Amino acid sequence: MPDTYKRHDLTIDQQLALTTAARRLGEELAGTFGTETIERFLHTSYDQFATKAAVANFLPLLAERFARQRLHALARVEGHGDGRPIVLFLCVHNAGRSQMALGFFAALAGEHAVGWSGGSEFATEINPAAVASMAERGIDISREFPKPWTEEIVRAADVVVTMGCGDACPVYPGKRYLDWELKDPAGLAAEDVRPIREEIERRVRALLADLGVPVA
């Protein structure tokens, strides 16, 4: 690891985990990005979660998963995409509405499209009521995690769907935006989340139809 990333604020285990993550990402993205770019994205991703993570041991894993998404987004921006449409779902905390929308999108679109999500003030965990409500439909979003949006992720998206983040949501000229007015499920019981879930599914299905994406 370059001297730039020999950090004294990390434990030996965390440094080892990040080194291993950088190696994995390097193997996955060989020929697209060099070691320096991969490690920079990995460590900046780590720093974005470090102030909010409840369990520090999970930080390298979160950083790796987010860095992977960011690097794939950057590859798309630089012309290395595979042609599949990308939809980014944004809300304030990335804990409820946007995660439910992503869950439906991934389940319905399968390999035909790419879905991402993010928040303007991302939370520390997914809303348990949202997880329970989606599980009723056979969709598991429990392994997802709240995350921020970054410039390359927004630029890579073909459609940006915003849900209540207002002026905090990023705006890029020429980008297609949809604003979905949906009740925030924060603080609601699972049964009260169901109507929100049904409306989200309806809108996701309509969006996929508009994009010409076959539904699984």
Side-chain angles (χ1 to χ4, degrees), residues 31-49:
T32 304
F33 296 113
T35 300
E36 183 177 347
T37 298
I38 289 172
E39 291 184 343
R40 174 166 54 85
F41 272 65
L42 182 61
H43 280 264
T44 55
S45 295
Y46 182 96
D47 290 338
Q48 285 179 296
F49 291 107

Side-chain angles (χ1 to χ4, degrees), residues 24 31 63 71 88 103 111 123-124 131 134 140 142 150 212:
R24 277 195 295 264
L71 288 163
L88 174 62
E111 297 297 319
T124 57
V131 173
M134 293 297 287
D140 182 9
S142 63
T150 60

